[in-house]
Amino acid sequence: MAESGGIDPVSDPVSDPASDPGVAGDDPGYRAAVIDLLGVISYGEITAFERLAEDAKLAPTMQDKMALASMAATELGKVAPLHQRVSELGGDPFEAMAPFGDAIDNFHRHTAPSDWLEGLVKAFVGDGLADDFYREIAAFLDPVTRDLVVSSMDEDGGHAVFVVDRVRSVIAADPTVAGRLALWGRRLMGEALTQAQRVAADRDSLTALLTGGVDRPGLDLAALGRMFTRLTERHADRMAQLGLDS
Amino acid sequence: MAESGGIDPVSDPVSDPASDPGVAGDDPGYRAAVIDLLGVISYGEITAFERLAEDAKLAPTMQDKMALASMAATELGKVAPLHQRVSELGGDPFEAMAPFGDAIDNFHRHTAPSDWLEGLVKAFVGDGLADDFYREIAAFLDPVTRDLVVSSMDEDGGHAVFVVDRVRSVIAADPTVAGRLALWGRRLMGEALTQAQRVAADRDSLTALLTGGVDRPGLDLAALGRMFTRLTERHADRMAQLGLDS
């Protein structure tokens, strides 16, 4: 067993991928995991584009339509740098995305908004959840990939403010919608967890990014639990921003 | 009659809006016309985004889907500077777009692609035609607006090459589709003319941009005819690039 080699994963700085920008090219297992991660994020952004462009049709005004269409274009704009990094790592961007099509398509199929408001809440809550999760994973990436992932999360162009304003003003005018939207938020969270679970079960490489390996630090079960608690708390914060119970 | 004032519109440089960057703010009739023009172009770009995002669903591969989605995002990216110019001229961007909704929506309703290939041809031929027309009008604009309109036309990000390659390769593999797509191209041209005619009849201000006014040079009927010939010729060029008769 490799563990008997006596390597201490935490105290060995050379084998910590987060401290070595070159490791992405040196460790085939890590490289495959990063290509997987960039693939799933890319596919998620492309479907976010499609879904937001579709939801824009439900917009009650041209201003709302423009806002949602701009959110769609912003998501799509994140894809090219992610694909470029996949290519730099020797992968094919479209092959990298392929394994994640079913899980992400299922998520969207099971959470198709029935109206404009549900679409807005999904845009805010769903994308926020995905971004939080990728930020958590980013801590285990080499600096180049980490900066790329984190910077792609940060470019929301003020869209969150738009969604929060719109949803809160609708609830202010008609408080009865709050109950329905709170349920909707829980359904989004539940479906996201279901599909994330499925991806984790299918892709050992991605799971290994989080749980570490013999020569790489990772999260133990307690740390995974804390990460999960953080994701849930941030979800609750977002729901509260919208004026909704979580 | 104003014509009896003896003003020679062609030889009076001060009253030529194309030579005076400030005229857009000084002449209410001209300013209204420019706001109309920026409104119709903006609305056209937003619907181009919607249509391309919709057509992306028909894409046979993820690569094709990405290409069409990127074209959609490019069109949408042209809207913000056009809206900003409307605001600078004292107009409201959304009010400026409103009068043109019916004509442009009708164009798209009457030319909904039945498959991926028709969508590609429409993206190339339809947008090309619109761009040519706006470039013709741009010659009659003040320099600031003209540069804005022309630069928004030039940003196609290599998308034309993508469409030409894809359509030609399909025709090479199955020459029988060429006849159907040639008919499709004629239908796009016919529907564009029908709706442009409708806009011209409804919006005197826009027509006046082309035909001039008592203190502003414009096209006489012969010049309008020549402009029309140029638009038709460029349409035929585009069809030929695709390997299609026009």
Side-chain angles (χ1 to χ4, degrees):
Chain A
M1 296 293 286
E3 277 163 7
S4 64
I7 298 173
D8 176 351
V10 174
S11 64
D12 178 4
V14 176
S15 64
D16 175 2
S19 69
D20 179 2
V23 76
D26 297 341
D27 174 347
Y30 173 76
R31 194 174 61 221
V34 169
I35 289 175
D36 263 6
L37 177 67
L38 298 174
V40 68
I41 299 178
S42 302
Y43 193 84
E45 301 292 6
I46 294 174
T47 56
F49 165 86
E50 292 184 282
R51 181 242 309 162
L52 289 164
E54 183 74 23
D55 292 352
K57 291 184 199 162
L58 302 170
T61 68
M62 275 299 290
Q63 284 87 334
D64 290 328
K65 179 179 284 194
M66 263 302 284
L68 232 61
S70 301
M71 290 171 75
T74 300
E75 300 295 335
L76 194 78
K78 298 174 181 175
V79 174
L82 298 169
H83 278 186
Q84 193 187 327
R85 181 70 178 152
V86 171
S87 299
E88 285 168 9
L89 296 174
D92 175 88
F94 291 92
E95 283 174 22
M97 296 193 294
F100 307 103
D102 283 352
I104 293 178
D105 290 350
N106 277 338
F107 172 77
H108 288 301
R109 200 162 25 241
H110 295 165
T111 59
S114 66
D115 63 12
W116 162 247
L117 265 185
E118 289 189 1
L120 280 187
V121 171
K122 180 174 169 180
F124 181 65
V125 165
D127 293 350
L129 191 56
D131 285 3
D132 281 347
F133 182 62
Y134 297 138
R135 268 200 205 89
E136 292 279 354
I137 292 187
F140 300 91
L141 300 175
D142 62 278
V144 174
T145 311
R146 183 175 59 222
D147 289 351
L148 177 66
V149 168
V150 171
S151 73
S152 82
M153 304 294 121
D154 287 336
E155 292 163 12
D156 100 325
H159 297 135
V161 174
F162 163 77
V163 173
V164 169
D165 284 353
R166 296 295 275 127
V167 173
R168 292 193 80 102
S169 71
V170 171
I171 293 172
D174 177 10
T176 64
V177 300
R180 172 168 69 91
L181 292 180
L183 275 176
W184 174 243
R186 282 200 278 284
R187 183 159 146 215
L188 291 168
M189 182 67 163
E191 189 65 32
L193 290 176
T194 303
Q195 298 303 334
Q197 169 65 30
R198 179 175 164 187
V199 168
D202 281 356
R203 306 296 292 185
D204 289 342
S205 64
L206 273 184
T207 320
L209 265 188
L210 280 176
T211 56
V214 287
D215 57 351
R216 215 160 39 73
L219 299 177
D220 59 15
L221 267 184
L224 272 175
R226 287 192 296 274
M227 181 187 98
F228 191 76
T229 302
R230 284 194 296 276
L231 291 176
T232 312
E233 285 171 353
R234 289 198 205 109
H235 172 72
D237 285 347
R238 268 188 296 273
M239 294 295 283
Q241 276 183 268
L242 294 173
L244 299 171
D245 297 329
S246 57
Chain B
M1 296 289 288
E3 277 162 4
S4 63
I7 298 173
D8 177 350
V10 174
S11 64
D12 178 5
V14 176
S15 63
D16 174 3
S19 67
D20 179 2
V23 75
D26 298 340
D27 172 350
Y30 173 76
R31 194 174 61 223
V34 169
I35 289 175
D36 263 7
L37 178 66
L38 298 174
V40 69
I41 299 179
S42 302
Y43 193 85
E45 301 293 5
I46 294 174
T47 56
F49 165 86
E50 292 184 283
R51 182 242 310 161
L52 289 164
E54 183 74 23
D55 292 352
K57 291 185 197 161
L58 302 169
T61 68
M62 275 301 288
Q63 285 87 336
D64 289 328
K65 179 180 284 194
M66 264 301 285
L68 231 61
S70 301
M71 290 171 74
T74 301
E75 300 295 335
L76 194 78
K78 298 174 181 176
V79 174
L82 297 169
H83 277 185
Q84 193 187 327
R85 181 70 178 150
V86 171
S87 299
E88 284 167 9
L89 295 175
D92 175 88
F94 290 93
E95 283 174 22
M97 295 193 295
F100 307 103
D102 283 351
I104 292 178
D105 290 351
N106 277 337
F107 172 76
H108 288 302
R109 199 159 29 239
H110 295 165
T111 59
S114 65
D115 64 13
W116 162 247
L117 265 185
E118 289 189 0
L120 281 187
V121 171
K122 180 174 170 180
F124 181 64
V125 165
D127 293 350
L129 191 56
D131 285 3
D132 281 347
F133 182 62
Y134 297 138
R135 268 200 204 91
E136 291 279 353
I137 293 188
F140 299 90
L141 301 175
D142 62 279
V144 174
T145 311
R146 183 175 60 221
D147 289 352
L148 176 67
V149 169
V150 170
S151 73
S152 82
M153 303 294 121
D154 287 337
E155 292 163 12
D156 99 327
H159 296 136
V161 174
F162 163 77
V163 173
V164 169
D165 284 354
R166 296 293 277 126
V167 173
R168 292 193 80 103
S169 70
V170 172
I171 294 173
D174 176 9
T176 63
V177 300
R180 171 168 69 90
L181 292 179
L183 276 176
W184 174 243
R186 282 200 278 284
R187 184 162 144 212
L188 291 168
M189 181 67 164
E191 190 64 33
L193 290 177
T194 302
Q195 299 302 334
Q197 168 66 30
R198 180 175 164 186
V199 168
D202 281 356
R203 306 296 291 185
D204 289 343
S205 64
L206 272 184
T207 320
L209 264 188
L210 281 176
T211 55
V214 287
D215 58 350
R216 214 161 40 73
L219 299 176
D220 58 16
L221 267 184
L224 274 175
R226 286 192 296 275
M227 182 188 96
F228 191 76
T229 301
R230 284 194 296 276
L231 292 174
T232 312
E233 285 170 353
R234 288 197 207 108
H235 172 71
D237 285 348
R238 269 188 296 273
M239 294 295 282
Q241 276 183 270
L242 295 172
L244 299 171
D245 296 329
S246 58

